[in-house]
Amino acid sequence: MKTHETIYLKDYKKAQFIVDEVDLTFDIREDQTKVTSILKIHKNLDIAGEKTSLVFDKGDFKIASVIANGMLLLPGEYEAKNEYFKIARTPDTFDLEIITILKPWENTSLEGLYQSGNILCTQCEAQGFRKITPFPDRPDVMAVYSCTIIADKTKYPVLLSNGNPIKSGNLDNNRHFVRWEDPFKKPSYLFALVAGDLAHISDQFKTRSGRIVDLKIYSEKENIDKCGHAMSSLKQAMEWDEKRFRLEYDLDLFQIVAINDFNAGAMENKGLNIFNSKYVLADPATATDEDFMNIQGVIGHEYFHNWTGNRVTLKNWFQLSLKEGLTVFRDQEFSSDLNSRGVKRISNVRNLRGHQFSEDSGPMAHPVRPESYIKMDNFYTMTVYEKGAELVRMIHQLLGEELFQKGMNLYFEKFDGMAVTIEDFVAVMEDASGLDLSQFKLWYFQSGTPAVIVTRSYDHQAKQLILNFEQKTLPDRNQTEKQALHIPVNFGIIDSNGNDITPVDKTLLELKSAKETFVFENISENSLPSLFRQFSAPVKIKTDLTNEELAFLMANDTDEFNRWDAAQTLFFNEITKLIHSIQANTELSVSSNLIDAFKKALQDQTTDKSFLAKTLSLPLETEIKNHFNLVDVNAIHKARLFLKKAIAGQLKSYFLNVIKVCSKSDPLSISHDAMANRSLKNLSLSYLGCLKEKGTIDLILKHYETALRESLPQILFLP
Ligand code: SER
Ligand code: ZN
């Protein structure tokens, strides 16, 4: 059995041989694909001497020939194993031509060059390029690429690669070719090729400096009418990146291809993004609102990588979060700016709490910037992506938008065209702001989710509200002793009339030691703290707020996220109480406080309906289970259902009214309003549905049947 060795960051060494130019030719035939790779190479003389051998990464394929500086090498003059390719002695500067033979239809790893249906395509991140040709397959080797693709004209009329097409033409035997050149230096993981019989839609985008960029989205012919939403999302993403980050697209052409067999969501190859069809194709007849939102988000994510990942890339794979955390932050901001910020934040935090927190407390726990890995492909984790994005969000929180953007400017000014580290990123943020982020950086190196426990006291005489914070991160196999982190607490105070009375200089508290106390002067009695607004840090928050106080915050907090969070905690507390009753076999009941708070919220006309739908959704069983060490599955299920039925039973007429009001919008529109109406209506139906009463079941059936009719092609209704 093949054993994998552990790769350590501390062993990182610069590449000894640098490839400056890569010229690839893919000759695609029925029985094989012949790849000719011509490399311009120089030795890194700072670290490589006369006797240093050239060692490239290499996959399991045949090498047909090797030519160095025009001289054919005999098989004894190089070594070609399944893992590496080696030439013992080379000059300091030389050209190397390697011809390899691939069988893409046999490649089921979905890495390197493979076949999906009748389409040939590549996936090179993280280490797939070595499956195409021997190469120093590491992100800090950045080269300029050109690529010629030759194939049968009938089977592969479309031949795509990175950059701009500069030449194409017909050849003998019904064959043709296209030559592509990408003027920007890039690491091998961003190389891409697609060949197939694809349809496309086109559009254009005018950048703010006035350049016209051609936009093309490719898919199999039968799906091409489902690409419209992806195209409008792309244009929104291009416009948003110019406005918010002042980043303009750099090539004359931007292409997206939808592929059915794809390992991940999508891939940001320079100028040629390849997507899992799921994140491109949307048929208004069948796509859900969530599908539309996901497509917009993923199209944005891959597009934003053009600067955060491609123009500035990674020094090594330990830095993966430098591009992923930052780009997830950017795509979250994109979706928040275009849709509802509150709703977006809620779904990100649910995802984080539901999945990343459990990763961070289990056997997979690892720091956002790991020290070691066994297989890089296993490192595309919730921690690297989602917690990584939270760390960027905290930096944004500490600096504010203006200084954060100044930091981003500096990042591109300093590092464009380079392969850098997370520490380089934090350093430019420090330079731009003058802040000391040295303690903050621990977030990148220390695994585990900190718990922050907040307790209150009130001094009647002095009119002081006193808050005690304690932070604790449990030891794990990564670090047996955890240090205190620099935690930003976005903060507010709500008085008993529901007014936000936060002192202007106290909207951001910064925790830096294990225990800290904050005293707020001149605070009226019964005022409540609103903690970690917008979920300002990825921590487990424990407060001493009572259910009554939570219900008050649910109705009155000026921070949307915390209104939702108060509701969720209230629901969770109620469910926990029910679970205990079920386990003790005592009678179940739901507090009237909760029903009242729910009713008030349901009748609220001023709040955005999509936000309301999130606020009034009960936590999922999988989310509830995360709070327990011993999981009583039956009790969780019963308790949640009991609460849902109690709410539905007592507030039936209110739900019916909401359904009536929310049914008025256009069922096929994907405007925010229409989606918001649908989400609140569906939530109300789901509450009523659990009653299993004839009237409500009829209502749901009618909803199902009309939804179907709305989505069927018109032609079916012709008399
Ligand atoms: N780099 C891809 C992404 O966008 C994953 O393969 O996350
Ligand atoms: Zn990404």
Side-chain angles (χ1 to χ4, degrees):
M1 212 177 86
K2 196 162 132 188
T3 52
H4 293 282
E5 55 178 318
T6 306
I7 317 274
Y8 294 95
L9 173 60
K10 63 176 168 42
D11 296 337
Y12 170 84
K13 290 195 182 68
K14 284 187 180 163
Q16 292 175 317
F17 289 83
I18 308 290
V19 180
D20 299 301
E21 284 174 40
V22 182
D23 181 42
L24 298 164
T25 302
F26 288 77
D27 182 357
I28 298 168
R29 309 257 172 186
E30 276 300 302
D31 57 342
Q32 64 173 51
T33 294
K34 185 172 98 178
V35 183
T36 308
S37 158
I38 302 174
L39 309 175
K40 286 203 179 310
I41 301 175
H42 77 267
K43 223 186 238 178
N44 184 354
L45 291 174
D46 293 345
I47 49 170
E50 204 189 318
K51 292 187 179 152
T52 311
S53 305
L54 172 145
V55 182
F56 281 178
D57 302 298
K58 174 188 168 293
D60 179 7
F61 52 72
K62 261 210 234 130
I63 288 185
S65 66
V66 180
I67 297 174
N69 275 345
M71 301 277 287
L72 181 69
L73 300 192
L74 300 171
E77 291 176 297
Y78 63 88
E79 229 182 295
K81 299 277 192 261
N82 283 350
E83 294 279 318
Y84 67 88
F85 168 86
K86 183 172 171 184
I87 303 178
R89 289 288 175 86
T90 71
D92 292 347
T93 318
F94 58 104
D95 291 349
L96 188 64
E97 179 190 304
I98 307 173
I99 297 182
T100 60
I101 306 294
L102 305 178
K103 306 217 165 180
W105 59 91
E106 283 178 4
N107 177 2
T108 51
S109 68
L110 308 188
E111 285 175 339
L113 179 70
Y114 68 96
Q115 192 166 339
S116 169
N118 289 321
I119 302 166
L120 281 189
C121 68
T122 55
Q123 168 61 25
C124 292
E125 187 179 5
Q127 296 172 334
F129 192 73
R130 64 186 63 179
K131 295 189 170 186
I132 296 173
T133 186
F135 200 77
D137 193 11
R138 43 188 286 169
D140 59 347
V141 173
M142 296 175 82
V144 172
Y145 285 66
S146 52
C147 175
T148 306
I149 313 167
I150 310 164
D152 182 79
K153 214 173 164 173
T154 314
K155 198 162 175 214
Y156 300 105
V158 175
L159 304 173
L160 310 175
S161 191
N162 317 89
N164 301 310
I166 54 138
K167 213 170 156 189
S168 60
N170 290 324
L171 301 167
D172 292 345
N173 299 325
N174 193 41
R175 287 164 65 76
H176 71 145
F177 77 95
V178 181
R179 182 174 169 78
W180 294 83
E181 281 181 9
D182 180 358
F184 293 97
K185 273 167 77 175
K186 64 170 176 282
S188 51
Y189 81 87
L190 291 173
F191 169 78
L193 170 153
V194 175
D197 188 4
L198 297 162
H200 73 270
I201 57 169
S202 313
D203 208 328
Q204 286 192 326
F205 180 83
K206 189 171 175 186
T207 68
R208 65 179 185 158
S209 69
R211 279 185 319 107
I212 301 289
V213 181
D214 285 321
L215 312 176
K216 292 199 168 133
I217 300 186
Y218 292 85
S219 78
E220 280 155 321
K221 289 190 174 130
E222 60 272 23
N223 289 326
I224 199 64
D225 57 339
K226 301 188 186 101
C227 295
H229 178 65
M231 183 63 93
S232 30
S233 302
L234 173 61
K235 286 161 74 181
Q236 287 173 323
M238 296 178 88
E239 196 183 329
W240 180 86
D241 217 12
E242 291 189 348
K243 274 202 186 124
R244 178 95 187 256
F245 280 79
R246 297 160 313 282
L247 294 173
E248 207 176 297
Y249 186 62
D250 48 9
L251 289 162
D252 301 331
L253 174 64
F254 187 82
Q255 312 176 95
I256 289 174
V257 184
I259 297 282
N260 290 329
D261 305 299
F262 198 79
N263 257 343
M267 179 62 212
E268 69 265 23
N269 316 300
K270 182 81 188 186
L272 176 58
N273 290 1
I274 301 181
F275 275 60
N276 188 322
S277 309
K278 180 174 156 202
Y279 291 113
V280 177
L281 308 178
D283 180 350
T286 51
T288 63
D289 290 344
E290 206 182 323
D291 292 336
F292 280 107
M293 300 292 255
N294 284 340
I295 290 171
Q296 185 188 52
V298 181
I299 294 268
H301 180 95
E302 304 310 329
Y303 173 75
F304 302 141
H305 267 312
N306 190 51
W307 281 94
T308 47
N310 301 5
R311 288 283 290 252
V312 180
T313 197
L314 313 177
K315 186 164 173 184
N316 49 55
W317 287 114
F318 298 96
Q319 317 300 330
L320 181 60
S321 195
L322 173 68
K323 75 177 177 81
E324 295 306 343
L326 180 53
T327 306
V328 171
F329 169 76
R330 274 153 53 67
D331 88 53
Q332 291 176 348
E333 284 297 295
F334 167 58
S335 299
S336 304
D337 283 348
L338 264 65
N339 310 301
S340 154
R341 178 164 288 272
V343 169
K344 180 67 185 160
R345 192 66 188 133
I346 290 166
S347 70
N348 289 146
V349 173
R350 281 183 84 168
N351 189 25
L352 192 80
R353 283 178 172 161
H355 300 106
Q356 196 278 324
F357 280 15
S358 37
E359 181 171 283
D360 224 355
S361 62
M364 270 287 285
H366 58 276
V368 172
R369 208 282 323 263
E371 299 286 339
S372 67
Y373 62 79
I374 295 175
K375 251 189 128 288
M376 192 51 219
D377 299 346
N378 289 340
F379 240 102
Y380 287 74
T381 62
M382 290 296 294
T383 298
V384 166
Y385 276 66
E386 306 302 323
K387 185 173 178 182
E390 291 301 315
L391 305 197
V392 176
R393 184 169 295 284
M394 283 193 283
I395 295 178
H396 182 267
Q397 175 81 49
L398 288 166
L399 269 67
E401 169 74 2
E402 203 177 312
L403 289 178
F404 181 84
Q405 290 297 351
K406 193 175 156 204
M408 290 303 298
N409 271 349
L410 204 56
Y411 181 64
F412 296 118
E413 241 170 60
K414 248 180 127 165
F415 300 126
D416 188 12
M418 291 168 67
V420 301
T421 64
I422 283 170
E423 275 139 316
D424 291 326
F425 175 76
V426 179
V428 294
M429 288 296 163
E430 286 184 311
D431 284 354
S433 63
L435 291 181
D436 174 5
L437 297 175
S438 47
Q439 187 188 358
F440 181 84
K441 260 196 289 193
L442 267 178
W443 275 106
Y444 282 100
F445 311 139
Q446 191 166 284
S447 58
T449 309
V452 177
I453 302 140
V454 192
T455 48
R456 290 169 295 165
S457 56
Y458 183 73
D459 184 331
H460 297 266
Q461 228 104 61
K463 284 180 146 272
Q464 284 174 337
L465 171 68
I466 301 139
L467 294 183
N468 299 303
F469 289 80
E470 187 179 353
Q471 60 162 302
K472 228 187 236 159
T473 310
L474 292 176
D476 60 17
R477 69 182 172 93
N478 300 297
Q479 299 93 17
T480 46
E481 255 177 65
K482 302 283 181 180
Q483 298 180 51
L485 295 165
H486 179 180
I487 303 177
V489 186
N490 192 344
F491 179 73
I493 304 179
I494 307 289
D495 76 8
S496 55
N497 297 317
N499 299 314
D500 196 322
I501 54 158
T502 321
V504 276
D505 58 338
K506 294 275 164 44
T507 54
L508 184 69
L509 313 177
E510 296 183 41
L511 311 182
K512 292 186 175 169
S513 13
K515 287 187 183 180
E516 278 183 64
T517 299
F518 294 85
V519 180
F520 304 90
E521 308 285 347
N522 243 330
I523 305 296
S524 52
E525 196 163 1
N526 296 327
S527 297
L528 296 176
S530 167
L531 299 157
F532 292 95
R533 289 183 151 179
Q534 289 300 310
F535 199 65
S536 60
V539 300
K540 291 181 179 159
I541 307 153
K542 292 197 183 106
T543 69
D544 55 4
L545 291 165
T546 64
N547 282 353
E548 216 176 357
E549 290 171 331
L550 287 167
F552 184 82
L553 286 175
M554 171 182 168
N556 295 294
D557 200 325
T558 44
D559 184 62
E560 261 195 343
F561 177 83
N562 273 3
R563 285 215 301 283
W564 170 80
D565 211 23
Q568 293 298 301
T569 312
L570 190 61
F571 294 146
F572 172 73
N573 291 348
E574 194 71 19
I575 292 169
T576 307
K577 192 189 82 188
L578 290 166
I579 289 172
H580 290 147
S581 299
I582 291 165
Q583 287 167 337
N585 224 348
T586 54
E587 205 181 320
L588 306 184
S589 69
V590 169
S591 16
S592 55
N593 260 350
L594 184 141
I595 303 283
D596 285 347
F598 197 107
K599 182 165 89 187
K600 220 156 125 201
L602 195 58
Q603 287 175 290
D604 181 352
Q605 304 286 333
T606 53
T607 304
D608 175 54
K609 290 196 181 71
S610 58
F611 172 74
L612 213 52
K614 294 271 180 214
T615 305
L616 300 180
S617 303
L618 297 182
L620 301 172
E621 288 168 0
T622 49
E623 291 169 318
I624 300 166
K625 97 171 181 310
N626 286 340
H627 294 262
F628 294 95
N629 287 332
L630 265 179
V631 179
D632 184 342
V633 179
N634 278 330
I636 291 177
H637 176 72
K638 272 191 199 157
R640 185 178 182 276
L641 192 60
F642 184 86
L643 176 60
K644 197 169 176 186
K645 276 185 177 165
I647 295 171
Q650 294 186 47
L651 302 177
K652 195 168 150 185
S653 59
Y654 298 93
F655 282 120
L656 287 170
N657 192 40
V658 166
I659 292 168
K660 208 157 102 198
V661 173
C662 293
S663 295
K664 288 176 186 153
S665 64
D666 174 4
L668 283 183
S669 161
I670 56 163
S671 69
H672 175 72
D673 243 22
M675 287 200 201
N677 273 297
R678 278 196 290 273
S679 59
L680 194 56
K681 177 180 168 181
N682 286 338
L683 179 85
S684 304
L685 284 168
S686 119
Y687 270 99
L688 293 183
C690 73
L691 292 175
K692 298 210 170 122
E693 289 171 355
K694 168 118 186 45
T696 52
I697 290 178
D698 287 347
L699 200 65
I700 292 167
L701 272 175
K702 189 176 141 222
H703 178 57
Y704 171 74
E705 280 163 4
T706 49
L708 196 62
R709 211 166 300 131
E710 277 154 7
S711 61
L712 286 176
Q714 284 288 302
I715 192 133
L716 290 181
F717 299 105
L718 291 177

